[in-house]
Amino acid sequence: MRMVALPRRRLPDWCDRFLLPPTGGDIFATRLWYDTTLAHAMHPGAEALVGLCGAEVALLPLQRGPRGGLRSLTTPYSLSWRPLPTLLAGPSALEAAGASLGAWLRLRAPARLEALAEDAPGLDAWLDGIARAGIAVQRYRHFGNWHEPLEAGAGWAGYLAARPPALRSTIRRKLDRARRDLRFEMLHVPGAELEAGIAGYLDVHARSWKPAEPFPAFDPALMRAAAAAGVLRLGLLRDAMDGKPVAAQYWLLSGGRAWLLKLAHVETSRAASPGTALTAMMIRHLIEEEAVQSLDFGRGDDPYKSLWVASRRQRIGVVLAHPWHPLGMLEVARRRVAGWLGR
């Protein structure tokens, strides 16, 4: 196991062999995602580093906080995180890579990895390797993720027919009103129009119910980088009379998958449900024009998500603790007590 510090706020070029292209089907395993995170979503005092497991079988984007604890390179914006293996790494190689991390963790403070997909290929083998090295692998529930694979050929009509009746009725009413009173914009290429769209998104967010962002520069930077890579879809609804935006959201596309990163609407426009209308317009566009095969509504169990997509999966975190380290011993004991209490 080798840990490499990142003095610059980007991944080194040699990391590219572990990363997917922006269109490779997992936007959270790309340089686009990690370089934007490194440049715009790191806490002051955090140290960025990458781990190379085994004979350079897998790359681990990581960070170390001011108190020295090792963590996954995840933020409140991350929807998933995983070890990034080389293309030829099978289960046995990933298990060996996990064992190399486990050996490195001996007599060190516990590490915490978050936003892991339980069904990620090779994850179980990698965690088994860590456990084989004498490290306690303690799983916990991190956040829910609502999503839905789309039926091939069903189109917008098929998608809409599968929604709850109340939502179908609301969509039809709000779309009729939106066509009269609002103007829809879809932005996806760099330039002055995109910059105006980003300004509109920020204006909507500032006038919405949402709290201030922990990293205000992250969303604009991600939208610009995603537009340059051809994977951004930024949608806005503007008042047809004065041109002011009343709802905004942006999605990222990769390999037939579409992720909803952020959405907001102006609180004073809530009665008109511009957020509902915009979500319907965006999904219709994604289905009819982009031929996406799945929709992903990101992190969290907000009640509205189950109306738009039908399936929930669990994202987990893991604490990796060596029982012979004092902090590791405390972590193992704490988790054991939590298990007895059913937490």
Side-chain angles (χ1 to χ4, degrees):
M1 184 73 195
R2 185 159 63 96
M3 292 290 180
V4 181
L6 303 180
R8 298 177 60 194
R9 291 302 194 186
R10 67 182 300 273
L11 293 177
D13 292 342
W14 55 261
C15 293
D16 285 344
R17 67 183 185 274
F18 300 97
L19 301 168
L20 293 179
T23 56
D26 183 357
I27 206 73
F28 307 102
T30 64
R31 173 175 291 282
L32 182 159
W33 180 262
Y34 278 113
D35 281 0
T36 306
T37 297
L38 287 166
H40 300 286
M42 296 289 289
H43 283 287
E47 176 192 13
L49 62 161
V50 292
L52 280 168
C53 290
E56 301 194 356
V57 168
L59 184 78
L60 308 179
L62 301 166
Q63 59 184 316
R64 183 180 283 120
R67 298 180 181 179
L70 194 66
R71 304 178 67 94
S72 52
L73 184 51
T74 48
T75 73
Y77 304 96
S78 301
L79 304 189
S80 70
W81 182 94
R82 61 183 175 86
L84 303 175
T86 59
L87 291 176
L88 300 178
S92 60
L94 284 170
E95 185 173 350
S100 72
L101 174 60
W104 186 88
L105 286 169
R106 288 176 190 155
L107 300 178
R108 285 186 165 93
R112 184 181 297 270
L113 310 177
E114 295 187 321
L116 291 157
E118 289 184 301
D119 58 352
L123 178 65
D124 285 339
W126 185 67
L127 294 176
D128 287 346
I130 295 172
R132 185 160 54 85
I135 302 299
V137 178
Q138 302 177 109
R139 303 186 183 213
Y140 61 93
R141 295 164 65 87
H142 190 202
F143 61 84
N145 169 232
W146 285 88
H147 68 105
E148 183 171 338
L150 299 179
E151 182 181 349
W156 166 251
Y159 169 82
L160 194 60
R163 298 311 103 204
L167 180 62
R168 289 202 305 268
S169 175
T170 300
I171 287 173
R172 292 188 180 104
R173 288 187 291 104
K174 299 307 178 182
L175 285 181
D176 287 343
R177 180 172 179 176
R179 293 186 187 101
R180 296 192 309 268
D181 302 334
L182 302 171
R183 176 164 51 87
F184 175 55
E185 290 181 6
M186 169 72 73
L187 305 166
H188 58 89
V189 296
E193 289 187 355
L194 177 65
E195 293 304 315
I198 292 174
Y201 167 85
L202 295 174
D203 178 56
V204 169
H205 190 282
R207 294 187 290 138
S208 75
W209 74 99
K210 293 199 165 186
E213 291 290 342
F215 300 100
F218 178 81
D219 285 312
L222 182 61
M223 284 188 262
R224 293 184 183 108
V231 299
L232 173 70
R233 300 296 182 269
L234 168 62
L236 294 99
L237 279 182
R238 294 183 182 273
D239 188 288
M241 297 294 291
D242 61 19
K244 291 183 178 180
V246 295
Q249 60 183 249
Y250 75 96
W251 297 67
L252 300 183
L253 276 58
S254 181
R257 303 170 68 186
W259 291 268
L260 175 57
L261 268 289
K262 289 290 181 65
L263 81 174
H265 63 262
V266 175
E267 192 66 15
T268 56
S269 301
R270 172 184 264 183
S273 300
T276 299
L278 180 56
T279 300
M281 290 177 174
M282 293 293 287
I283 291 177
R284 182 169 188 168
H285 171 88
L286 293 171
I287 291 173
E288 294 187 340
E289 305 298 329
E290 311 282 357
V292 300
Q293 300 159 16
S294 70
L295 302 173
D296 192 310
F297 269 60
R299 62 191 289 162
D301 290 307
D302 307 78
Y304 75 89
K305 294 182 180 181
S306 62
L307 303 175
W308 294 96
V309 286
S311 300
R312 183 192 186 277
R313 56 193 166 197
Q314 186 66 44
R315 292 287 186 255
I316 64 168
V318 294
V319 175
L320 309 177
H322 188 227
W324 292 2
H325 186 281
L327 293 179
M329 186 184 304
L330 287 172
E331 187 63 40
V332 169
R334 188 175 70 84
R335 290 284 166 182
R336 204 166 277 171
V337 170
W340 292 338
L341 297 175
R343 295 176 182 172

